[in-house]
Amino acid sequence: MTQIRNIIFDFDGTLADTSKLIVATMQKTIKGMGLPFRNEDQIRATIGIRLDEIPNKLWPSLKGISKSFVEDYKKNFEELKDYISIEPFPEVKETLKKFKDEGYQMAVATSRSQRSVKELIEKLGIKDYFSYLLGGDDVSKGKPEPESIYKILSDQDWNYNETIMVGDMSVDILMGKKAGIRTCGVTYGNGKESELKETGADFVIADFRDLIKILKDNLKK
């Protein structure tokens, strides 16, 4: 098995706990637009999907609301982001530093906008660990399509068989599998362990630090 040298991370639910802010923003958007109610579990299930694709997931019978939904969501997010804190998950900062010190190359592939991910990663103090940040607006097709990974591999000149995708949702795992790279699901985020396993994740971990062991074990093979 080829040694893993490059790590692509999802952001929401993998590196940072953004669920409270996302759910609150979504609920405010739904109420403001007069859309049919959706509960917290239904909202959480859309985390990882691009904003413009969420209406079709939550209200498939309603057409033509995507543009207004995106505009309202972004406005509400800006209003709420200073009141609902976002924190990195336990041991994320320490583990990213370890990876950086050991020579791993790291990138982020997220469905949120390029501007948003840059702002949040800077706010969390982890910007310097990544050589590449890719937002949902940097590609024409979002997760679970593999375009994001293809773009990162191409732009960074990374070998697909030396790269692993780490995420908390089945769309992250599917994206990695479609791109032909190894995948690792995390169970502390928004996705369910059963879904990550059913999707075919090569590894599933409950603690971010466990990724260290996965990569070290990989070196031995």
Side-chain angles (χ1 to χ4, degrees):
M1 187 179 290
T2 308
Q3 178 185 342
I4 293 172
R5 302 177 187 276
N6 318 304
I7 314 169
I8 302 174
F9 294 101
D10 167 54
F11 180 75
D12 298 280
T14 301
L15 297 176
D17 187 359
T18 56
S19 59
K20 288 182 181 177
L21 177 54
I22 290 173
V23 170
T25 303
M26 194 80 78
Q27 288 173 335
K28 186 174 183 180
T29 303
I30 291 170
K31 185 176 181 180
M33 292 183 66
L35 294 169
F37 173 79
R38 294 295 180 263
N39 62 38
E40 186 170 332
D41 286 343
Q42 290 171 309
I43 292 171
R44 280 176 176 268
T46 67
I47 295 177
I49 300 171
R50 286 201 318 192
L51 278 178
D52 59 338
E53 297 172 352
I54 288 176
N56 190 47
K57 297 287 184 182
L58 292 180
W59 307 279
S61 63
L62 299 180
K63 306 300 180 185
I65 64 170
S66 181
K67 184 179 179 183
S68 298
F69 178 85
V70 170
E71 290 172 352
D72 282 21
Y73 181 96
K74 288 183 175 180
K75 175 175 67 70
N76 292 328
F77 185 88
E78 290 298 313
E79 291 175 359
L80 294 173
K81 70 181 183 182
D82 292 330
Y83 299 97
I84 302 175
S85 64
I86 292 176
E87 299 292 340
F89 284 105
E91 302 301 328
V92 162
K93 282 187 176 182
E94 296 84 350
T95 305
L96 290 177
K97 182 180 185 306
K98 184 174 180 62
F99 286 144
K100 182 79 170 178
D101 291 345
E102 293 185 358
Y104 288 96
Q105 296 295 307
M106 294 178 284
V108 172
T110 177
S111 292
R112 67 173 54 251
S113 70
Q114 172 73 218
R115 184 187 66 80
S116 180
V117 69
K118 278 185 177 178
E119 178 185 343
L120 294 179
I121 278 184
E122 209 163 312
K123 186 176 181 180
L124 294 176
I126 57 176
K127 179 188 71 170
D128 293 341
Y129 297 127
F130 302 102
S131 59
Y132 197 100
L133 302 177
L134 184 141
D137 50 350
D138 292 323
V139 292
S140 59
K141 293 183 178 180
K143 301 175 183 181
E145 296 309 310
E147 184 181 346
S148 296
I149 290 178
Y150 289 153
K151 182 169 174 56
I152 292 173
L153 295 178
S154 175
D155 290 353
Q156 294 291 98
D157 196 25
W158 289 354
N159 193 318
Y160 80 95
N161 60 8
E162 296 177 342
T163 306
I164 189 170
M165 175 69 208
V166 183
D168 69 312
M169 300 293 282
S170 58
V171 289
D172 298 312
I173 304 305
L174 283 170
M175 177 174 68
K177 288 177 70 65
K178 287 184 177 184
I181 68 173
R182 279 168 278 183
T183 58
C184 177
V186 302
T187 62
Y188 54 76
N190 302 296
K192 297 178 180 178
E193 181 177 359
S194 58
E195 292 175 351
L196 295 169
K197 288 180 176 178
E198 286 169 10
T199 308
D202 295 297
F203 311 97
V204 176
I205 58 176
D207 186 313
F208 193 76
R209 291 171 296 185
D210 290 343
L211 190 56
I212 296 172
K213 185 176 186 302
I214 286 172
L215 299 191
K216 285 189 179 300
D217 287 349
N218 176 261
L219 290 175
K220 300 172 187 175
K221 296 178 179 178

